Amino acid sequence: AQTVTQSQPEMSVQEAETVTLSCTYDTSESNYYLFWYKQPPSRQMILVIRQEAYKQQNATENRFSVNFQKAAKSFSLKISDSQLGDTAMYFCAFSGTSYGKLTFGQGTILTVHP
Amino acid sequence: NAGVTQTPKFRVLKTGQSMTLLCAQDMNHEYMYWYRQDPGMGLRLIHYSVGEGTTAKGEVPDGYNVSRLKKQNFLLGLESAAPSQTSVYFCASSTPGLGFVLNTQYFGPGTRLTVL
């Protein structure tokens, strides 16, 4: 069974600064997918960024980028130029090859201060 | 195109009562999932379905039943609600294929259920 661990229950950052959220996972599968989802106070789950394990290049989506270290089983999210609207709970998630089922981490609450 | 919708958005039950949560998707997705979200534990998979007429157990299936009579709908039932089932319930859907096409799930807005 896969496990996903987010060791930072809460993080805070000043507006316009950069913050990195950590995620580690454990799996015996060789091909898998990793995701970061954002959950604002509205409760809606919003996909932020995704990474395929067989791709060595780190994914980027505008201000969001990941540092994927396959050997270390680490998948961190970097948010550049933080905005007030980035305030949310962030979940790291893993999906193997079995029907796309997701395993989530515990979440990190990110607060962006003006 | 509404995506994934969930009914109801909020519900309060008494212990022992039953109810059904409805999930509907208009993206013609094959796969559908039910998760629950509890404080400090992230989302956990309850049941899932890989096609019309099929269902399978996830990580925390006890106390729940599901049905997928139509491709676009996935129902989650609580036969005898317990306080431990107080949670936020999310439905999601995805479609089989290569790469991200298979593995990107689209979520509904969630249902907050309180069992007294």
Side-chain angles (χ1 to χ4, degrees):
Chain A
Q2 294 81 18
T3 59
V4 178
T5 302
Q6 294 177 247
S7 58
Q8 305 155 314
E10 296 186 38
M11 294 280 286
S12 64
V13 64
Q14 293 296 127
E15 196 174 9
E17 294 187 345
T18 296
V19 64
T20 299
L21 307 184
S22 301
C23 173
T24 58
Y25 60 93
D26 189 24
T27 183
S28 58
E29 297 193 45
S30 57
N31 191 24
Y32 50 88
Y33 305 85
L34 296 162
F35 303 83
W36 279 98
Y37 279 91
K38 169 185 177 181
Q39 186 180 46
S42 67
R43 205 170 62 201
Q44 181 69 48
M45 294 289 287
I46 302 166
L47 178 66
V48 174
I49 198 166
R50 52 196 175 188
Q51 174 83 40
E52 297 179 71
Y54 64 84
K55 287 189 176 180
Q56 293 190 352
Q57 184 175 4
N58 289 326
T60 62
E61 288 285 345
N62 300 314
R63 298 183 295 108
F64 299 89
S65 61
V66 298
N67 183 4
F68 174 49
Q69 302 289 328
K70 190 172 184 179
K73 295 181 179 176
S74 171
F75 183 61
S76 61
L77 173 69
K78 184 172 83 171
I79 305 174
S80 303
D81 186 25
S82 297
Q83 300 176 359
L84 297 178
D86 295 333
T87 292
M89 174 82 85
Y90 287 81
F91 289 101
C92 177
F94 171 101
S95 175
T97 55
S98 177
Y99 303 115
K101 295 179 289 181
L102 288 172
T103 300
F104 285 86
Q106 304 91 325
T108 297
I109 300 172
L110 175 67
T111 303
V112 180
H113 297 284
Chain B
N1 191 340
V4 180
T5 58
Q6 293 182 230
T7 308
K9 289 185 170 53
F10 303 93
R11 185 72 185 268
V12 178
L13 290 179
K14 295 181 179 179
T15 297
Q17 288 185 319
S18 63
M19 77 162 295
T20 300
L21 280 67
L22 170 64
C23 176
Q25 52 95 3
D26 61 2
M27 296 175 284
N28 201 35
H29 283 172
E30 290 292 331
Y31 298 169
M32 296 186 74
Y33 315 83
W34 276 107
Y35 296 88
R36 61 177 288 172
Q37 181 180 12
D38 301 297
M41 300 187 72
L43 279 74
R44 293 179 293 167
L45 183 64
I46 305 171
H47 285 281
Y48 64 100
S49 167
V50 300
E52 183 178 313
T54 74
T55 62
K57 294 180 180 180
E59 181 186 353
V60 288
D62 293 343
Y64 305 95
N65 56 76
V66 288
S67 64
R68 183 109 180 261
L69 299 180
K70 294 182 179 180
K71 184 178 182 179
Q72 64 267 34
N73 295 337
F74 194 29
L75 279 62
L76 178 70
L78 287 73
E79 291 185 347
S80 180
S84 61
Q85 294 178 304
T86 293
S87 188
V88 178
Y89 292 86
F90 285 96
C91 177
S93 70
S94 69
T95 196
L98 297 176
F100 293 133
V101 175
L102 165 64
N103 289 284
T104 296
Q105 292 188 18
Y106 296 87
F107 284 82
T111 295
R112 180 176 292 280
L113 175 65
T114 301
V115 183
L116 302 175

